[in-house]
Structure formats: C-alpha cells, structure tokens
Amino acid sequence: MTEATATPEPARADPARIGAQLARIGRIGADPDGGVSRLAFTWPEREAHELVGGWLRDLGLEVRVDAVGNTTATRPGTTDGRPAIGIGSHLDSVYHGGRYDGIVGVVGAVELARLLVEDGTALVHPVRVVVFAGEEGARFGE
C-alpha cells in the first residue's frame, strides 16, 4: 500500500491584503472632500511609487526607476532572451480624480507577482510589473 502525495494548495489572492494596499495608496494625495490629487512628478506621486517599489522589493524582485520616473520590477523567466510579459498601470491622477483609477491595475500586478513568487511558479518569459509615471498628463497644460 502506498501513501498518496498531497498536492499543495496553490497561493490565492488575498482580498484583505488587496483592500489594504488600495486603501494605503488611496490615502496618498487624498482630497479632504473625496477623490485624490496625486499629480505626476509631485511628492505624493513619488511617495506612491516608493511604497509600491518597496512591496516589490519585499518579494525579491529587481526594482528600477528610469529617468522619467517609471518604476519597473522584473521576475526572471526560465529562458534567456524571451520578451517580458508586462503588467501594471499608473499611480498619478487628475485633479480630484477617482480613488481607484490606475491603482487597481498596480495592486493587481503586485498581487499576481506575489502569487508567482509564493507558488514558485516558473515561467519561460520574465514578468515585468510596470508602474507608469505621468500617465494622466493632467499636471502640465489642461
């Protein structure tokens, strides 16, 4: 008689963690009367990039900020030379913008990266979390 080998449960998205991360970013640049003003290239927008970059570093990803302020984090693939799979969004907002605009895509990308890391899932292609700076274009010339 042989023992059956139990298959480990796959990592699952954590709604409480996702909600907490959305709330944490949402407080950065929050307007007193609702909404958010986290304009591109301002201290609140950079603070949000630093926060998300820290979460990605905590996952062991290589985090870079380019010359214009985009934050990227890469989880290597198993085969050299393959193009990366990009996921993510932006952290800047328009004046008095929607609280979740952009940040849902960023937090979703962080959560997917976390699931890949926790499960030890190896992909042929690298996965690159991309957090854009200045996507909205609201700060310079309305």
Side-chain angles (χ1 to χ4, degrees):
M1 190 184 227
T2 63
E3 284 186 31
T5 304
T7 304
E9 280 292 315
R12 294 191 181 273
D14 182 342
R17 178 176 49 227
I18 292 168
Q21 289 178 331
L22 289 170
R24 176 66 184 92
I25 298 171
R27 288 192 296 271
I28 301 171
D31 296 325
D33 57 346
V36 65
S37 294
R38 191 173 40 252
L39 301 175
F41 314 113
T42 62
W43 287 115
E45 189 245 11
R46 298 320 312 158
E47 179 183 346
H49 274 263
E50 273 299 311
L51 176 66
V52 172
W55 294 339
L56 294 164
R57 278 184 202 90
D58 289 347
L59 294 173
L61 301 182
E62 178 185 339
V63 177
R64 294 178 185 218
V65 178
D66 68 17
V68 295
N70 299 306
T71 301
T72 59
T74 303
R75 183 162 192 266
T78 60
T79 305
D80 290 340
R82 296 289 179 118
I85 299 167
I87 55 176
S89 193
H90 61 97
L91 293 171
D92 65 311
S93 74
V94 298
Y95 291 97
H96 311 294
R99 192 172 163 195
Y100 299 108
D101 182 26
I103 71 172
V104 169
V106 171
V107 170
V110 171
E111 187 70 7
L112 177 59
R114 180 182 314 281
L115 295 175
L116 292 172
V117 168
E118 287 179 359
D119 264 356
T121 301
L123 300 178
V124 172
H125 293 265
V127 173
R128 183 162 298 135
V129 176
V130 182
V131 185
F132 295 105
E135 186 274 343
E136 291 289 359
R139 184 168 175 209
F140 305 104
E142 279 192 23

